[in-house]
Amino acid sequence: RRAGLGALRSAAPAAMPPPPPRPPPAPPSSVASSGPRDTADAVVRLPQGFISYYSKNNRLQATCTQPEHFRCRLTRTSKASERKAAQGRPFGLLCNWLSTPCTPLD
C-alpha cells in the first residue's frame, strides 16, 4: 500500500553535514609579488619557445625557452591602429623573434 502525502511530509529531512573548515591563510612571503598572473587563452609551442595570447588585454607574448636566458620575452598588442598599419598583427614578428638566435645582455 502507498503512503499518503501526509506521511511523506511528516518524515524528518536528513541532516546535512557541516561544511569543512577553511584552510589557514598562507604565511606572508618575503618575495614581492605583482599579483596573480593572467592565464593564457591560447598557447602556440615552437621549438625555440612559445607564444601566448591573452584576450583580457589583447596581448601576445613570445617567451624564449633557452635555459641560459632569464625572462627572455617580447610582448606586443593585437589591438589594431588606424595610424600604424602593422600594429595589431604581431604574430609573424614574434615567430621571427623566437627563430632568431639572441644573446642575453650581461
Side-chain angles (χ1 to χ4, degrees):
R1 185 172 173 191
R2 288 184 152 176
L5 190 55
L8 291 175
R9 285 188 187 151
S10 66
M16 297 282 298
R22 291 184 181 216
S29 173
S30 62
V31 178
S33 174
S34 60
R37 299 279 180 195
D38 290 335
T39 302
D41 296 298
V43 176
V44 176
R45 300 201 184 279
L46 302 167
Q48 306 85 356
F50 57 93
I51 299 175
S52 305
Y53 173 68
Y54 301 90
S55 64
K56 181 178 178 181
N57 50 9
N58 291 325
R59 182 172 50 94
L60 287 160
Q61 178 174 297
T63 304
C64 175
T65 55
Q66 297 295 320
E68 62 273 4
H69 297 177
F70 179 71
R71 292 189 181 178
C72 191
R73 298 181 187 141
L74 180 63
T75 303
R76 292 293 182 261
T77 183
S78 62
K79 185 177 179 183
S81 171
E82 291 182 18
R83 295 187 302 159
K84 297 178 182 178
Q87 183 173 323
R89 294 178 282 283
F91 195 77
L93 169 74
L94 296 175
C95 288
N96 187 33
W97 181 79
L98 283 174
S99 67
T100 305
C102 61
T103 305
L105 299 174
D106 290 333

